[in-house]
Amino acid sequence: MKVNKFYFIPTLLVLVTLPLYFLHRLIVDSISDSFVFYYSIWSVYTFHFVVTLVILSVLYLVSKIVPNYIGFAFLGFILLKMIAAIVFLIPLIKMEQVSKIPDFVSFFSPYFLYLFLEIVLTLRLLRQSAP
């Protein structure tokens, strides 16, 4: 399947996000008696969805304008994604006497799933732009 239409990216993101969100929600609801979560699942998935949508959209545009720089753009955006994740988590990091492990697991499990999706789609863009 080729990534040749711009609307493929948001559609794929929605198709990936919805099942992940509901599964994650089910898991968190089942353990919410034992743990208190600082961030809601909605805010975590909104963050990941928006960041991933921006990254993939810009990478798609880079592949159309200057296809030789897709890899460099990907590396730069992944660095920015890491910085954005740290900024997003600063309130949690600053909290004292609260178990942060459930929130970090709840944040970074979708983080790595979306990162995997970004890698796969970037590789497809790289294959398409190869001569």
Side-chain angles (χ1 to χ4, degrees):
M1 179 193 313
K2 286 190 171 188
V3 182
N4 57 4
K5 300 288 183 192
F6 182 72
Y7 60 83
F8 175 77
I9 293 171
T11 304
L12 180 65
L13 276 178
V14 168
L15 291 175
V16 168
T17 300
L18 289 176
L20 285 177
Y21 170 78
F22 288 115
L23 177 65
H24 198 159
R25 181 85 189 173
L26 183 70
I27 293 169
V28 168
D29 286 344
S30 68
I31 63 170
S32 64
D33 295 337
S34 305
F35 300 105
V36 175
F37 290 89
Y38 181 76
Y39 289 109
S40 68
I41 302 301
W42 177 254
S43 64
V44 169
Y45 276 88
T46 301
F47 171 81
H48 288 304
F49 182 84
V50 169
V51 169
T52 302
L53 181 63
V54 168
I55 289 172
L56 291 175
S57 297
V58 173
L59 287 175
Y60 178 81
L61 293 175
V62 168
S63 75
K64 295 300 176 194
I65 298 169
V66 281
N68 292 338
Y69 291 99
I70 297 171
F72 295 116
F74 176 76
L75 290 175
F77 278 113
I78 294 307
L79 178 64
L80 289 176
K81 180 180 178 177
M82 287 183 220
I83 293 169
I86 291 169
V87 169
F88 182 80
L89 292 172
I90 283 176
L92 177 66
I93 294 168
K94 287 185 175 182
M95 292 179 68
E96 294 181 14
Q97 299 179 355
V98 174
S99 178
K100 300 171 187 174
I101 294 172
D103 274 303
F104 279 114
V105 170
S106 181
F107 180 82
F108 281 107
S109 53
Y111 179 91
F112 289 114
L113 291 171
Y114 280 97
L115 180 62
F116 178 74
L117 180 66
E118 292 167 7
I119 291 168
V120 168
L121 291 177
T122 302
L123 287 173
R124 287 187 179 199
L125 287 173
L126 283 168
R127 277 192 218 120
Q128 283 184 356
S129 65

